[in-house]
């Protein structure tokens, strides 16, 4: 059963019936920001195509590392393969590669692919994701920012979904659309992310933000304006 806020948000984004009419999403996106400089992977994710299955956690990034290759993410495995499916490299249990790392430690390209894959699958399926089996939601006290009151939904993820962390908070504006998504990132030593969504457009009946800007937040949940950690700029989004 969906709570009042989740029902309101899902309907504002296009409704569950419309979302459930699709099983795949293709998204043109450029990803940048300070995190990629910190991790010594600048420019790795500019001008990519991310393709997801909307009801099963699977995501590909094309091209990846060189033309004719893509990365393929599913829980517990990251694979580099050719466009016809020939395996180039496989990393089982990719989260294990982050154990013991400090924030300033560099990533290799497969670590960057894992981080962006588990992140984007959550981003591109929210808030519909929160209706899936195993998710628990609770409306908590509202938040005031940018002259608006934002209703907040605390979401507890089931164990089988790989995401930044188990409990996350999404803020919704008076129109029901997402304004901000808060989380900590387990593979980044619990560092925080305040993910601001904007520039909504409608794609085949589904409303999706085409701009995301991600900052840290402090102990009072206030945005830390510098550095701008991650930028996501979306072009065409196509459901099928």
């Amino acid at each position: 059963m969906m709570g009042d806020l989740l029902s309101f948000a899902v309907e504002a984004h296009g409704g569950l019936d419309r979302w459930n009419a699709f099983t795949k999403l293709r998204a043109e996106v450029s990803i940048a920001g300070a995190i990629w400089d910190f991790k010594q992977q600048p420019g790795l994710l500019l001008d990519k195509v991310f393709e997801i299955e909307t009801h099963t956690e699977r995501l590909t990034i094309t091209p990846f590392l060189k033309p004719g290759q893509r990365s393929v993410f599913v829980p517990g495995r990251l694979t580099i393969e050719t466009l016809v499916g020939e395996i180039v490299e496989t990393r089982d249990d990719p989260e294990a590669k982050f154990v013991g790392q400090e924030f300033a430690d560099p990533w290799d390209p497969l670590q960057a692919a894992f981080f962006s894959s588990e992140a984007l699958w959550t981003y591109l399926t929210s808030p519909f994701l929160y209706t899936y089996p195993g998710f628990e939601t609770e409306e908590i006290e509202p938040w005031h920012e940018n002259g608006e009151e934002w209703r907040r939904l605390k979401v507890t993820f089931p164990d089988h979904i790989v995401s930044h962390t188990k409990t996350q908070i999404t803020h919704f504006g008076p129109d029901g659309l997402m304004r901000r998504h808060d989380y900590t990132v387990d593979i980044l030593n619990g560092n925080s992310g305040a993910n601001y969504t904007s520039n909504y457009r409608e794609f085949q009946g589904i409303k999706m933000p085409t701009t995301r800007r991600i900052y840290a937040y402090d102990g009072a949940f206030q945005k830390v304006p510098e550095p701008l950690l991650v930028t996501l700029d979306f072009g065409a989004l196509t459901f099928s």
Side-chain angles (χ1 to χ4, degrees), residues 147-194:
E148 292 184 327
E149 180 175 274
W150 297 345
R151 295 173 68 184
R152 295 196 298 166
L153 193 70
K154 183 173 75 171
V155 181
T156 302
F157 283 59
D159 290 340
H160 68 274
I161 297 293
V162 178
S163 191
H164 286 319
T165 196
K166 191 169 181 67
T167 301
Q168 306 179 25
I169 296 173
T170 299
H171 305 56
F172 299 94
D175 57 4
L177 299 179
M178 294 182 292
R179 295 290 194 272
R180 173 175 161 174
H181 175 200
D182 286 357
Y183 42 75
T184 56
V185 183
D186 293 342
I187 60 174
L188 278 171
N189 309 111
N191 279 273
S192 61

Side-chain angles (χ1 to χ4, degrees), residues 27-149:
E28 299 173 357
V29 60
S30 275
I31 305 177
I35 187 69
W36 309 109
D37 295 319
F38 294 151
K39 295 302 184 180
Q40 298 181 25
Q41 296 295 334
L44 180 69
L45 296 172
L46 295 176
D47 299 321
K48 301 300 179 185
V49 172
F50 280 59
E51 294 180 273
I52 69 167
E53 295 184 11
T54 54
H55 292 80
T56 302
E57 194 170 14
R58 184 180 190 275
L59 181 147
T60 65
I61 306 172
T62 309
F64 192 72
L65 297 181
K66 65 181 183 180
Q69 287 188 174
R70 64 188 170 208
S71 66
V72 182
F73 158 79
V74 296
R77 178 174 294 176
L78 185 78
T79 305
I80 307 301
E81 64 180 33
T82 68
L83 301 185
V84 295
E86 298 169 336
I87 302 299
V88 176
E89 184 176 356
T90 297
R91 178 171 291 175
D92 291 319
D93 190 16
E95 288 176 277
K97 281 289 186 179
F98 298 90
V99 174
Q101 282 201 320
E102 301 295 333
F103 185 82
D105 292 340
W107 282 344
D108 66 29
L110 271 66
Q111 287 175 297
F114 172 81
F115 170 75
S116 57
S117 295
E118 57 92 357
L120 267 290
W121 192 82
T122 297
Y123 303 165
L124 288 168
T125 55
S126 299
F128 304 98
L129 174 65
Y130 307 153
T131 71
Y132 292 4
F135 281 82
E136 298 177 7
T137 61
E138 174 192 0
E139 185 170 0
I140 60 175
E141 66 277 6
W143 179 262
H144 293 87
E145 191 169 342
N146 292 344
E148 292 184 327
E149 180 175 274

Side-chain angles (χ1 to χ4, degrees), residues 23-24 30:
T23 59
K24 299 181 186 299
S30 275

